[in-house]
């Protein structure tokens, strides 16, 4: 992956200009309005601290935007989630949103290949008093999921699973997490509109990493639409989030 600069941004096709912009909304003013009116005033002080800390990190583009954190928090409470999983932690904005939304005996099995990113945000998570809910596993998620599936007691045991890691593995993740989430539980796939590139013409001058992952994201979207094991809902929040409720 490459972090792009302003000049590179200007070379993107219309609608794909603002890779640093945390929303697919066409109007920055409208997005700012949402943040200032509905999100920032309700954002937990620790989430604000973590967001501001993460903004100084060179890979800050990876972070979950605060409006999406608010959505996750609402969903977790609506489904009464207690046992959850997150694939792709980075500095932990979605993880902390989840930890704050869960009851005190709630659990998050959190996986990331990079412990350093997680440890950047960990002091904030600890200060918020929710670190005890987190079981962080360092390493590639796929073998960890395979390990979990081997144990029958893990099958159908998760109320909520947030997938926000390597997009080229999303379908592999889906085929595993579908067994781990309970019937009636929810899986949320992040970045499913992939900076709007899912509708870019084939010859669009996309950044290499956007172009590379786009096909995987589109393949996932098609597979989810055909998967009779889940009900789905595609939301244009953040970079696009697809909610899947397991029905069988
Ligand atoms: N959810 C995070 C947040 O709220 O800020 C953002 C996650 S970031 C978009 C993607 C993360 O996935 C990175 O921290 C990266 O290290 C991790 N990752 C990439 N490949 C992975 C893999 N195969 N298994 C587990 N984690 C992976
Ligand atoms: Ca994401």
């Amino acid at each position: 992956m490459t972090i792009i600069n302003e000049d590179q941004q200007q070379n993107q096709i219309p609608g794909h200009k603002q890779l640093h912009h945390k929303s697919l909304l066409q109007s920055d003013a409208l997005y700012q309005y949402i943040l200032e009116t509905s999100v920032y005033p309700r954002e937990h002080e620790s989430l604000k601290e973590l967001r501001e800390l993460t903004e100084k990190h060179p890979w800050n583009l990876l972070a979950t935007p605060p409006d999406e954190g608010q959505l996750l928090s609402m969903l977790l409470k609506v489904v009464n989630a207690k046992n959850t999983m997150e694939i792709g932690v980075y500095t932990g904005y979605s993880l902390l949103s989840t930890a704050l939304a869960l009851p005190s005996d709630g659990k998050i099995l959190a996986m990331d290949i990079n412990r350093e990113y997680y440890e950047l945000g960990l002091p904030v998570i600890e200060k918020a008093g929710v670190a005890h809910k987190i079981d962080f596993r360092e390493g590639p998620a796929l073998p960890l999921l395979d390990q979990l599936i081997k144990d029958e007691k893990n099958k159908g045991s998760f109320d909520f699973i947030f997938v926000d890691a390597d997009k080229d593995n999303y379908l592999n993740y889906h085929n595993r997490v579908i067994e781990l989430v309970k019937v009636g539980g929810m899986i949320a796939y992040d970045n499913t509109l992939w900076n709007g590139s899912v509708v870019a013409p084939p010859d669009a001058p996309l950044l290499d990493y956007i172009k590379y992952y786009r096909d995987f994201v589109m393949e996932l979207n098609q597979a989810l639409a055909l998967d009779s094991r889940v009900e789905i809902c595609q939301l244009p929040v953040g970079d696009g989030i697809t909610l899947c409720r397991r029905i069988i």
Side-chain angles (χ1 to χ4, degrees):
M1 266 197 203
T2 16
I3 293 288
I4 59 161
N5 59 35
E6 292 291 322
D7 290 335
Q8 286 171 307
Q9 278 186 33
Q10 278 158 18
N11 289 331
Q12 298 297 302
I13 61 167
H16 299 261
K17 277 183 185 160
Q18 301 276 351
L19 276 186
H20 285 283
H21 186 42
K22 296 284 192 185
S23 166
L24 293 162
L25 286 180
Q26 293 301 298
S27 155
D28 283 353
L30 190 52
Y31 185 49
Q32 211 51 36
Y33 174 82
I34 293 170
L35 291 178
E36 279 164 20
T37 308
S38 309
V39 180
Y40 291 151
R42 308 296 294 258
E43 189 182 33
H44 190 284
E45 58 180 7
S46 300
L47 283 171
K48 180 173 189 280
E49 188 181 346
L50 182 57
R51 177 168 55 80
E52 289 174 350
L53 180 154
T54 302
E55 274 163 14
K56 298 187 194 110
H57 190 257
W59 291 94
N60 59 15
L61 178 69
L62 296 176
T64 296
D67 48 327
E68 187 177 351
Q70 199 177 51
L71 171 70
L72 288 174
S73 172
M74 172 76 81
L75 288 171
L76 288 155
K77 289 175 186 171
V78 167
V79 305
N80 263 323
K82 205 163 164 181
N83 191 32
T84 72
M85 184 193 297
E86 175 167 302
I87 305 177
V89 170
Y90 182 45
T91 61
Y93 193 90
S94 53
L95 183 63
L96 180 55
S97 302
T98 304
L100 289 168
L102 294 183
S104 56
D105 59 346
K107 294 272 168 254
I108 313 160
L109 181 58
M111 309 172 185
D112 202 296
I113 45 171
N114 191 314
R115 181 181 285 275
E116 271 174 44
Y117 295 161
Y118 168 63
E119 286 182 347
L120 273 177
L122 187 54
V124 182
I125 295 174
E126 282 168 345
K127 202 164 79 183
V130 290
H132 64 280
K133 301 179 191 175
I134 299 168
D135 175 4
F136 179 82
R137 310 273 179 95
E138 183 183 10
L142 216 49
L144 287 168
L145 292 173
D146 283 335
Q147 201 61 35
L148 284 176
I149 285 173
K150 279 188 195 150
D151 188 343
E152 280 299 317
K153 80 170 181 345
N154 292 322
K155 290 191 179 169
S157 71
F158 288 85
D159 304 307
F160 192 97
I161 300 178
F162 182 53
V163 183
D164 189 18
D166 43 336
K167 315 308 170 208
D168 43 349
N169 262 320
Y170 269 27
L171 262 184
N172 292 326
Y173 293 147
H174 183 61
N175 289 328
R176 287 154 177 85
V177 296
I178 192 73
E179 289 198 51
L180 295 167
V181 76
K182 71 176 186 195
V183 174
M186 191 176 283
I187 311 166
Y189 290 101
D190 199 30
N191 304 92
T192 50
L193 295 175
W194 202 230
N195 201 243
S197 67
V198 290
V199 292
D203 58 346
L206 302 174
L207 290 181
D208 287 349
Y209 88 89
I210 293 281
K211 193 184 278 179
Y212 173 74
Y213 290 106
R214 175 179 61 166
D215 290 349
F216 293 101
V217 172
M218 292 173 77
E219 197 186 352
L220 172 85
N221 290 339
Q222 282 174 352
L224 293 181
L226 293 171
D227 190 338
S228 57
R229 295 169 297 181
V230 289
E231 268 180 61
I232 64 167
C233 177
Q234 163 82 73
L235 295 175
V237 174
D239 191 27
I241 179 165
T242 303
L243 308 179
C244 304
R245 194 175 80 93
R246 182 175 173 191
I247 48 178
I248 49 171

